[in-house]
Amino acid sequence: MSLQAPPRLLELAEQSLLRDGALAIPTLEELPRELFPSLFIEAFTRRCCETLKTTVQAWPFTCLPLGSLMKSRPLETFGAVLEGLDALLAQKVRPRRWKLQVLDLRDVDENFWGIWSGASAPSPEALSKRQTAENCARLGGQQPLLVTLDLCFKNGTLDECLTHFLEWGKQRKGLLHVCCKELQIFGMPIHSIIEVLNMVELDCIREMEVCCPWELSILIRFAPYLGQMRNLRKLVLFNIHVSACIPPDKKEQFITQFTSQFLKLDSFQKLYMHSVSFLEGHLDQLLRSLQAPLETVVMTDCLLSESDLKHLSWCPSIRQLKKLDLRGITLTHFSPEPLAVLLEQVEATLQTLDLEDCGITDSQLSAILPALSRCSQLSTLSFCGNLMSVAALENLLRHPGEPAEQAEPGAAPAPLESYDAQGALCWGRFAQLGAELMKTLRDLRQPKTVVFSTVPCPCCGIRASYDLEPSHCLC
């Protein structure tokens, strides 16, 4: 027969408080601080709305990390928390022990409530300090209540609790400072997005992703809000296209309106663009507007001209670049000089270079190889999907230079000799050449992770590859 451990004194006190739904603020003010987190969780779980209201009003910590509790919880409990905040915000003279400054609605990874309630946990003071330090700096005194959240627009609708909060917040302008660090847009009417952004302190946003097929005309409606994100560090744009109905002069006007917003972004470091066509021939306008050194440039499956690549290679803002990704941009008929110049500009800082599916030829590789070999920090290099012969690949593997021991073509192209006259892959020949190239590499040094890959299969889209032995596509 097993004996059940008797309840702790704090648990008994908690049960007693929950039985009394109409708790008074003075009663809660006399409670030990350590009791508040477990009391709040129990009241939230059991839908004890009156207890929630008063617990919020007497909350003795600077931060209430509510977001981690919001999954699958009814709207009424969230509403009770907001009513408790209303009672606080309405008071001209704050309660004696009122310390709450931050309502955190983010779905944090760490189990703050579990840590707070655990026997071996850090002190609530330490956790409270840690949480508020990650948020906006506008704390202390009679500042507005800081509300931190992550915004993700998708499927045409907002989360029910977030919708309720935004409706509540509209009536309390001046009393709230709504701070969003990460903004993601996967799909929602632009007028709905703008309505929400009008409530948010835009200069708090650090990262923004637009991952939905927008026309350039929609992006321009959004552009003034981009310019207000003065502390933005990372921008991701997917599938931005130009309607054939837009006349050339209007397109020029739109591009100027968009690129001029970057003049206001003092901390911008990371640019990610995929399938963006409107900057072809106009990349210089964007580059001229950059105010800080770039750390990352990712432009995949974009339309770029040779002049765009030249402007990129001479842009002062790329001289501290750590990552360059130009996958899917066809360079076959470009002069290799701009790319060689670009590599020379970043030879002291570049760590990752991805030139997959760029149609790079033997002569182009030969022209950029001296600059490539001087990239002393390079650790990740990808060339698969290009038009290179066995001789060119051997030259790449054998070429002397500082990064020779630390950077290898982790994804190298299958040699041109692997294909027949019609462009079909010859499996036996591919396996033979792959084995020979791997032997060449082993004779030079012990390889890390090197894979020779074909162009994507036109049927299934998967690359065949060779590392120790060939692997086929799904067809």
Side-chain angles (χ1 to χ4, degrees):
M1 179 177 177
S2 62
L3 296 176
Q4 186 176 1
R8 293 183 303 159
L9 182 60
L10 286 178
E11 292 172 344
L12 292 172
E14 175 188 296
Q15 293 168 13
S16 174
L17 290 168
L18 287 173
R19 282 195 295 269
D20 183 6
L23 288 174
I25 295 290
T27 303
L28 287 176
E29 286 186 345
E30 301 304 320
L31 291 179
R33 285 155 52 89
E34 292 77 10
L35 185 59
F36 274 82
S38 56
L39 176 64
F40 187 93
I41 291 172
E42 285 299 311
F44 197 85
T45 303
R46 297 186 190 182
R47 307 187 190 184
C48 302
C49 293
E50 293 302 318
T51 303
L52 276 176
K53 293 178 192 176
T54 50
T55 304
V56 169
Q57 293 174 61
W59 192 249
F61 310 113
T62 56
C63 179
L64 178 57
L66 189 63
S68 56
L69 298 180
M70 292 307 298
K71 292 181 179 178
S72 304
R73 297 299 179 193
L75 189 59
E76 62 179 303
T77 52
F78 181 56
V81 173
L82 296 184
E83 288 184 39
L85 290 173
D86 264 337
L88 280 178
L89 296 172
Q91 297 183 34
K92 294 183 179 179
V93 179
R94 295 181 174 181
R96 178 168 53 90
R97 286 183 60 185
W98 180 16
K99 293 187 177 181
L100 182 61
Q101 299 180 45
V102 180
L103 175 65
D104 193 340
L105 298 180
R106 297 173 300 172
D107 183 14
V108 292
D109 294 330
E110 297 172 82
N111 185 358
F112 288 103
W113 297 96
I115 295 173
W116 249 333
S117 304
S120 60
S123 68
E125 295 96 314
L127 282 170
S128 181
K129 184 182 295 184
R130 174 183 175 184
Q131 183 69 4
T132 54
E134 294 175 354
N135 292 309
C136 186
R138 302 184 184 185
L139 298 176
Q142 296 292 324
Q143 297 274 350
L145 177 70
L146 173 61
V147 182
T148 62
L149 47 80
D150 290 330
L151 284 174
C152 182
F153 299 102
K154 59 183 178 180
N155 302 326
T157 58
L158 287 173
D159 172 83
E160 186 182 36
C161 287
L162 180 57
T163 301
H164 185 66
F165 166 75
L166 293 172
E167 288 298 322
W168 177 81
K170 285 179 184 177
Q171 311 302 319
R172 291 153 185 83
K173 278 199 170 183
L175 300 176
L176 304 175
H177 177 95
V178 183
C179 176
C180 170
K181 296 290 183 68
E182 297 182 10
L183 171 63
Q184 295 178 308
I185 302 174
F186 292 100
M188 185 171 283
I190 185 66
H191 62 84
S192 300
I193 295 172
I194 289 174
E195 184 179 2
V196 174
L197 292 183
N198 283 330
M199 287 190 57
V200 175
E201 299 290 337
L202 295 176
D203 59 359
C204 292
I205 296 176
R206 300 293 188 269
E207 299 184 4
M208 184 179 75
E209 296 184 33
V210 178
C211 301
C212 54
W214 274 3
E215 292 282 349
L216 179 58
S217 56
I218 297 178
L219 181 64
I220 294 311
R221 290 183 60 188
F222 186 83
Y225 294 88
L226 172 64
Q228 295 177 58
M229 301 175 191
R230 300 183 185 278
N231 293 301
L232 188 72
R233 296 173 185 170
K234 176 181 177 180
L235 173 64
V236 180
L237 292 179
F238 269 69
N239 301 319
I240 308 296
H241 301 289
V242 183
S243 170
C245 302
I246 298 180
D249 59 334
K250 194 68 174 177
K251 177 184 174 183
E252 294 277 349
Q253 179 186 339
F254 282 168
I255 292 172
T256 300
Q257 287 177 329
F258 172 72
T259 57
S260 63
Q261 303 305 318
F262 288 82
L263 291 166
K264 307 168 189 176
L265 309 183
D266 297 331
S267 304
F268 189 69
Q269 295 178 324
K270 299 180 179 181
L271 176 65
Y272 292 77
M273 292 189 177
H274 176 79
S275 191
V276 173
S277 61
F278 70 91
L279 284 176
E280 183 181 15
H282 300 276
L283 186 61
D284 61 315
Q285 291 180 238
L286 173 58
L287 297 174
R288 285 200 306 267
S289 300
L290 297 176
Q291 299 299 298
L294 285 175
E295 180 182 297
T296 299
V297 171
V298 174
M299 304 184 74
T300 58
D301 293 326
C302 294
L303 290 178
L304 291 184
S305 67
E306 187 169 338
S307 65
D308 291 326
L309 193 57
K310 288 180 180 177
H311 288 299
L312 180 62
S313 67
W314 288 111
C315 175
S317 294
I318 60 102
R319 291 174 186 168
Q320 297 179 32
L321 201 65
K322 294 181 180 179
K323 179 176 182 178
L324 177 64
D325 186 343
L326 300 177
R327 281 173 294 161
I329 296 178
T330 303
L331 305 177
T332 307
H333 302 295
F334 286 11
S335 165
E337 182 181 355
L339 184 54
V341 171
L342 196 161
L343 294 175
E344 289 172 0
Q345 298 287 335
V346 299
E347 62 183 28
T349 58
L350 190 65
Q351 298 173 4
T352 300
L353 176 63
D354 196 330
L355 296 172
E356 291 186 9
D357 300 320
C358 291
I360 295 175
T361 62
D362 285 7
S363 60
Q364 289 173 317
L365 177 62
S366 178
I368 68 171
L369 208 47
L372 182 62
S373 67
R374 290 195 294 272
C375 293
S376 57
Q377 302 302 312
L378 194 62
S379 59
T380 303
L381 178 61
S382 182
F383 269 103
C384 70
N386 289 296
L387 312 173
M388 299 177 189
S389 66
V390 170
L393 288 171
E394 287 184 340
N395 192 27
L396 175 63
L397 298 177
R398 295 178 183 276
H399 200 279
E402 289 184 30
E405 294 299 325
Q406 60 188 33
E408 295 169 341
L416 281 174
E417 292 85 348
S418 302
Y419 303 90
D420 63 20
Q422 286 72 42
L425 184 67
C426 302
W427 286 101
R429 184 68 172 145
F430 176 44
Q432 176 190 347
L433 294 173
E436 292 174 359
L437 288 168
M438 288 298 290
K439 182 179 183 305
T440 299
L441 186 57
R442 288 194 191 93
D443 290 343
L444 294 168
R445 58 187 177 273
Q446 184 61 38
K448 299 172 187 174
T449 53
V450 177
V451 179
F452 295 95
S453 300
T454 66
V455 295
C457 172
C459 298
C460 66
I462 294 178
R463 301 176 191 272
S465 61
Y466 183 98
D467 43 17
L468 297 177
E469 59 183 27
S471 64
H472 295 240
C473 66
L474 298 179
C475 300

Coordinates of all heavy atoms in Angstrom, one line a residue, residues 352-384:
T352 N 29.5 31.9 -46.1 CA 28.6 31.0 -46.8 C 28.4 31.6 -48.3 O 28.1 32.7 -48.4 CB 27.3 30.9 -46.2 OG1 27.4 30.3 -44.9 CG2 26.3 30.0 -47.0
L353 N 28.7 30.7 -49.3 CA 28.4 31.1 -50.7 C 27.6 30.0 -51.3 O 28.0 28.8 -51.4 CB 29.8 31.3 -51.4 CG 29.7 31.6 -52.9 CD1 29.0 32.9 -53.1 CD2 31.1 31.6 -53.5
D354 N 26.5 30.4 -51.9 CA 25.6 29.4 -52.6 C 25.3 29.9 -54.0 O 24.7 30.9 -54.2 CB 24.3 29.2 -51.8 CG 23.5 28.0 -52.2 OD1 23.7 27.6 -53.4 OD2 22.8 27.4 -51.4
L355 N 25.9 29.2 -55.0 CA 25.7 29.5 -56.4 C 25.0 28.3 -57.1 O 25.4 28.1 -58.3 CB 27.0 29.9 -57.0 CG 27.7 31.1 -56.4 CD1 29.1 31.3 -57.0 CD2 26.9 32.4 -56.7
E356 N 24.1 27.6 -56.5 CA 23.4 26.5 -57.1 C 22.5 27.0 -58.3 O 21.9 28.1 -58.2 CB 22.5 25.8 -56.1 CG 23.2 25.0 -55.0 CD 22.3 24.2 -54.2 OE1 21.1 24.1 -54.5 OE2 22.8 23.7 -53.1
D357 N 22.5 26.2 -59.3 CA 21.6 26.4 -60.5 C 21.8 27.8 -61.1 O 20.8 28.4 -61.5 CB 20.2 26.1 -60.1 CG 19.9 24.7 -59.6 OD1 20.5 23.8 -60.2 OD2 19.2 24.6 -58.6
C358 N 23.0 28.3 -61.2 CA 23.3 29.6 -61.8 C 23.8 29.4 -63.2 O 24.0 30.4 -63.9 CB 24.3 30.4 -61.0 SG 23.6 30.9 -59.4
G359 N 23.9 28.2 -63.7 CA 24.4 28.0 -65.1 C 25.9 28.5 -65.3 O 26.3 28.9 -66.4
I360 N 26.7 28.4 -64.2 CA 28.1 28.8 -64.3 C 28.9 27.8 -65.1 O 28.8 26.6 -65.0 CB 28.7 29.0 -62.9 CG1 28.0 30.1 -62.1 CG2 30.2 29.2 -62.9 CD1 28.4 30.2 -60.7
T361 N 29.7 28.4 -66.0 CA 30.5 27.5 -67.0 C 31.9 27.4 -66.5 O 32.3 28.1 -65.6 CB 30.4 28.2 -68.4 OG1 31.1 29.5 -68.3 CG2 29.0 28.4 -68.9
D362 N 32.6 26.5 -67.2 CA 34.1 26.3 -66.9 C 34.8 27.6 -66.9 O 35.6 27.9 -66.0 CB 34.7 25.4 -67.9 CG 34.3 23.9 -67.6 OD1 33.4 23.7 -66.8 OD2 34.8 23.0 -68.3
S363 N 34.7 28.4 -67.9 CA 35.4 29.7 -68.0 C 35.1 30.6 -66.9 O 36.0 31.4 -66.4 CB 35.2 30.3 -69.4 OG 33.9 30.6 -69.6
Q364 N 33.8 30.7 -66.6 CA 33.4 31.6 -65.5 C 34.0 31.1 -64.1 O 34.5 32.0 -63.3 CB 31.9 31.7 -65.4 CG 31.3 32.4 -66.5 CD 29.7 32.3 -66.5 OE1 29.2 31.3 -66.2 NE2 29.1 33.5 -66.7
L365 N 34.0 29.8 -63.9 CA 34.6 29.3 -62.7 C 36.1 29.6 -62.6 O 36.6 30.0 -61.6 CB 34.4 27.8 -62.6 CG 35.0 27.1 -61.3 CD1 34.4 27.7 -60.0 CD2 34.8 25.6 -61.4
S366 N 36.7 29.4 -63.7 CA 38.2 29.7 -63.8 C 38.5 31.2 -63.5 O 39.5 31.5 -62.8 CB 38.7 29.3 -65.2 OG 40.1 29.6 -65.3
A367 N 37.6 32.1 -63.9 CA 37.8 33.5 -63.7 C 37.6 33.9 -62.2 O 38.3 34.8 -61.7 CB 36.9 34.3 -64.6
I368 N 36.7 33.3 -61.5 CA 36.4 33.7 -60.2 C 37.2 32.9 -59.1 O 37.2 33.3 -58.0 CB 34.9 33.5 -59.8 CG1 34.4 32.1 -59.8 CG2 34.0 34.3 -60.8 CD1 33.0 31.8 -59.3
L369 N 37.9 31.8 -59.6 CA 38.5 30.9 -58.6 C 39.6 31.6 -57.8 O 39.8 31.4 -56.6 CB 39.1 29.7 -59.4 CG 39.3 28.4 -58.6 CD1 38.0 28.1 -57.8 CD2 39.6 27.3 -59.5
P370 N 40.5 32.5 -58.4 CA 41.5 33.2 -57.6 C 40.9 34.0 -56.5 O 41.3 34.0 -55.3 CB 42.2 34.1 -58.6 CG 42.0 33.4 -59.9 CD 40.6 32.8 -59.9
A371 N 39.8 34.7 -56.8 CA 39.1 35.5 -55.7 C 38.5 34.6 -54.7 O 38.5 34.9 -53.5 CB 38.0 36.5 -56.4
L372 N 37.9 33.5 -55.2 CA 37.2 32.6 -54.3 C 38.3 32.0 -53.3 O 38.0 31.8 -52.1 CB 36.6 31.5 -55.1 CG 35.8 30.4 -54.3 CD1 34.7 31.0 -53.5 CD2 35.3 29.3 -55.3
S373 N 39.4 31.7 -53.8 CA 40.5 31.0 -52.9 C 41.0 32.0 -51.8 O 41.6 31.5 -50.9 CB 41.6 30.5 -53.8 OG 42.3 31.6 -54.4
R374 N 40.7 33.3 -52.0 CA 41.2 34.2 -51.0 C 40.1 34.5 -49.9 O 40.4 35.3 -49.0 CB 41.6 35.6 -51.7 CG 42.9 35.4 -52.5 CD 43.4 36.8 -52.8 NE 42.5 37.6 -53.7 CZ 42.5 37.5 -55.1 NH1 43.4 36.7 -55.7 NH2 41.7 38.2 -55.8
C375 N 39.0 33.9 -50.0 CA 37.9 34.1 -49.0 C 38.3 33.3 -47.8 O 37.9 32.1 -47.6 CB 36.6 33.7 -49.6 SG 36.0 34.8 -50.9
S376 N 39.0 33.9 -46.9 CA 39.6 33.2 -45.8 C 38.7 32.6 -44.7 O 39.0 31.7 -43.9 CB 40.7 34.1 -45.1 OG 40.1 35.2 -44.6
Q377 N 37.5 33.1 -44.7 CA 36.5 32.7 -43.6 C 35.4 31.7 -44.2 O 34.6 31.3 -43.5 CB 35.8 33.9 -43.0 CG 36.7 34.9 -42.4 CD 37.5 34.3 -41.3 OE1 37.0 33.6 -40.4 NE2 38.8 34.6 -41.3
L378 N 35.6 31.4 -45.5 CA 34.5 30.6 -46.2 C 34.5 29.2 -45.6 O 35.5 28.5 -45.5 CB 34.8 30.6 -47.7 CG 33.7 30.0 -48.6 CD1 32.5 31.0 -48.5 CD2 34.2 29.9 -50.0
S379 N 33.3 28.8 -45.2 CA 33.1 27.4 -44.6 C 32.1 26.6 -45.3 O 32.0 25.4 -45.2 CB 32.8 27.5 -43.1 OG 31.6 28.2 -42.9
T380 N 31.2 27.2 -46.0 CA 30.1 26.5 -46.7 C 30.0 27.0 -48.2 O 29.9 28.2 -48.4 CB 28.7 26.8 -46.1 OG1 28.8 26.4 -44.7 CG2 27.6 26.0 -46.8
L381 N 30.1 26.1 -49.1 CA 30.2 26.4 -50.5 C 29.4 25.4 -51.3 O 29.5 24.2 -51.1 CB 31.7 26.4 -51.0 CG 32.0 26.6 -52.4 CD1 31.6 28.0 -52.9 CD2 33.5 26.4 -52.7
S382 N 28.5 26.0 -52.2 CA 27.6 25.1 -52.9 C 27.6 25.5 -54.4 O 27.3 26.7 -54.7 CB 26.2 25.1 -52.4 OG 25.4 24.2 -53.1
F383 N 27.8 24.6 -55.3 CA 27.9 24.9 -56.7 C 27.0 23.9 -57.6 O 27.1 24.0 -58.8 CB 29.4 24.7 -57.2 CG 30.2 25.9 -57.2 CD1 31.1 26.1 -56.2 CD2 30.0 26.9 -58.2 CE1 31.9 27.2 -56.2 CE2 30.8 28.0 -58.1 CZ 31.7 28.2 -57.1
C384 N 26.2 23.1 -57.0 CA 25.5 22.1 -57.8 C 24.5 22.7 -58.7 O 24.1 23.8 -58.5 CB 24.8 21.1 -56.9 SG 23.4 21.7 -56.0

